[in-house]
Amino acid sequence: MSGDKKISWPAWLPIRTELSDLIPYGAPQITGVTALNTNENPFKVPAVVVGKMLESLPQVLENLNRYPDRDAVELRSKLAQYINTSTNSKFLVNNIWAANGSNEILQTLMLACGGRGALGFLPSYSVHPLIAKATGTKWIAGERKSDFGLDLDSALSQIADVKPGLTFITTPNNPTGTCTAIADIERLAQACLAINGVLIVDEAYQEFSDEISAVSLISKYPNVVVVRTMSKAFAFAGARVGYAIADEAMISAALVTRLPYHLSSATQALALTALACSELLLAEVDALISERNRVSKELEKIGFIVIPSSANFLLFSGFPNDAHQTWKALVAEGVLIRDVGLPGYLRVTIGLPAENEQFLAAIAAHRP
Ligand SMILES: *Cc1c(COP(=O)(O)O)cnc(C)c1O
């Protein structure tokens, strides 16, 4: 990404050759600005939920001499319940995996199944190729259409040609906000099954979308793995909880490559409380969706082109000057959005109404 420099490693440091050109993932963390750059949920954890978390803490703290439940059984069964209720399905504990953020889930899956390489369709979530490289998984970069939709025919033939162990599809996609229809995901699942490959559907923003979740495909296509996170819709990014919904055999593979006791007892307890309060936490999703639609209309009104979004952020273009210069000017005005490295585009996360107003006022000076 712009501004990031390659690291010159000292000769004595035997970094693996294929990693020597990589730079650590990182959106700028700048203090004292309105941060609309990492797709976090702007709502604080409600006081009632904080109170319940505090009640659960003494028991957790006095037992910190013990390792946590290595397989996080209670948490996984509650995650199954959440998914079953929200998608009308019947998953059991053995269909769920949980870890420190969905990024750790992705790493665990790549360690297990990355032997034949991983394919993704760009632009998409930049962490997928990064984890691939870090785990020694060959990364194959497919493309999207110019409107950022998936080119289904090209994707299907690429899967058949390359025969990747893992194929990634992010929907709603980050950084574009665009959705892939469930019928197209089913075609991808078929194509992956035909080459004995897994389709990983990254649904980090699913709760902000109207599209049917790909969990509905798992009973028919056991090679479909749906990855979710509590970081976005649940306003729980700081706690680091992600999970996967998959066939039992896939969860068994994750058990092989996970680190023992990877999910701390504190994380498990906090996540259980958050799930018990899911209605309260998810109530904010509707507010974010209507703010997203409002900000999108406002941007269009002043002349920007906004990519239709099913997530909690907007990708937009139409800057009279270089997009990166505009990004810098906004930072100087105290508004931090994201330059995702797509020429001519910037991405803004939907914040609280007052933060969105501040962003709209600042960006108006850079209208087309
Ligand atoms: C934010 C995001 C994630 C992950 O986050 P965690 O905080 O690690 O759960 C995963 N995938 C996509 C596409 C994201 O945007």
Side-chain angles (χ1 to χ4, degrees):
M1 203 192 307
S2 21
D4 291 327
K5 295 216 175 52
K6 274 187 193 167
I7 303 166
S8 49
W9 302 101
W12 55 263
L13 196 153
I15 189 159
R16 289 195 277 131
T17 323
E18 63 275 24
L19 301 186
S20 62
D21 280 347
L22 295 184
I23 46 165
Y25 172 86
Q29 290 193 312
I30 305 175
T31 49
V33 291
T34 298
L36 301 174
N37 67 329
T38 51
N39 298 346
E40 289 153 324
N41 189 317
F43 291 98
K44 295 229 180 278
V45 177
V48 241
V49 183
V50 171
K52 287 190 176 151
M53 284 176 183
L54 287 173
E55 279 168 31
S56 76
L57 274 187
Q59 212 211 338
V60 173
L61 298 183
E62 70 187 28
N63 286 301
L64 284 178
N65 60 315
R66 300 288 177 194
Y67 282 111
D69 174 2
R70 198 175 44 215
D71 297 332
V73 174
E74 192 185 354
L75 175 58
R76 285 162 60 213
S77 67
K78 289 296 190 304
L79 286 166
Q81 263 177 35
Y82 165 66
I83 287 294
N84 289 344
T85 314
S86 54
T87 66
N88 195 18
S89 28
K90 294 197 176 67
F91 294 105
L92 302 170
V93 172
N94 292 346
N95 297 114
I96 307 284
W97 186 244
N100 296 282
S102 56
N103 289 330
E104 189 185 30
I105 303 266
L106 297 168
Q107 177 176 295
T108 303
L109 298 175
M110 276 206 236
L111 284 170
C113 297
R116 271 167 30 214
L119 167 68
F121 308 99
L122 310 186
S124 190
Y125 188 42
S126 61
V127 173
H128 296 159
L130 187 64
I131 299 178
K133 284 171 191 153
T135 56
T137 303
K138 184 172 181 251
W139 175 257
I140 305 115
E143 284 178 0
R144 285 172 173 263
K145 295 188 290 193
S146 58
D147 66 358
F148 303 125
L150 182 71
D151 185 340
L152 184 64
D153 289 334
S154 128
L156 293 175
S157 64
Q158 220 169 354
I159 292 168
D161 290 347
V162 178
K163 300 185 174 46
L166 300 169
T167 299
F168 284 87
I169 184 80
T170 306
T171 183
N173 188 38
N174 178 11
T176 62
T178 48
C179 255
T180 303
I182 190 76
D184 290 354
I185 296 185
E186 180 162 8
R187 299 280 304 280
L188 295 175
Q190 283 166 350
C192 290
L193 195 57
I195 53 132
N196 291 331
V198 165
L199 179 68
I200 297 186
V201 187
D202 188 334
E203 287 189 354
Y205 302 95
Q206 177 61 27
E207 284 91 344
F208 298 96
S209 157
D210 292 332
E211 188 53 81
I212 297 168
S213 166
V215 299
S216 58
L217 299 173
I218 295 173
S219 59
K220 196 163 164 201
Y221 303 96
N223 63 323
V224 169
V225 178
V226 175
V227 178
R228 294 273 193 109
T229 179
M230 292 182 74
S231 295
K232 314 283 163 58
F234 276 89
F236 215 48
R240 310 303 301 126
V241 183
Y243 55 104
I245 306 104
D247 184 83
E248 251 182 76
M250 193 69 219
I251 306 301
S252 304
L255 276 156
V256 175
T257 52
R258 66 111 151 83
L259 289 173
Y261 311 110
H262 65 292
L263 203 54
S264 84
S265 22
T267 305
Q268 293 186 40
L270 296 179
L272 280 168
T273 308
L275 282 167
C277 306
S278 60
E279 263 178 53
L280 199 57
L281 290 169
L282 292 169
E284 292 153 351
V285 167
D286 289 338
L288 288 171
I289 292 173
S290 58
E291 272 297 285
R292 173 192 76 204
N293 297 341
R294 182 181 75 86
V295 175
S296 174
K297 282 205 191 89
E298 293 294 327
L299 282 173
E300 282 175 345
K301 240 191 250 168
I302 56 174
F304 287 106
I305 299 157
V306 186
I307 306 295
S309 171
S310 302
N312 65 339
F313 57 83
L314 297 167
L315 187 72
F316 62 107
S317 67
F319 308 98
N321 303 311
D322 179 55
H324 190 68
Q325 294 308 318
T326 307
W327 176 84
K328 271 196 191 156
L330 257 65
V331 176
E333 289 162 48
V335 181
L336 178 62
I337 64 171
R338 188 77 170 264
D339 178 0
V340 291
L342 272 180
Y345 288 89
L346 293 174
R347 190 192 72 190
V348 61
T349 303
I350 300 304
L352 299 170
E355 296 174 320
N356 300 332
E357 282 311 305
Q358 195 191 344
F359 158 71
L360 286 168
I363 200 71
H366 307 273
R367 61 198 291 174

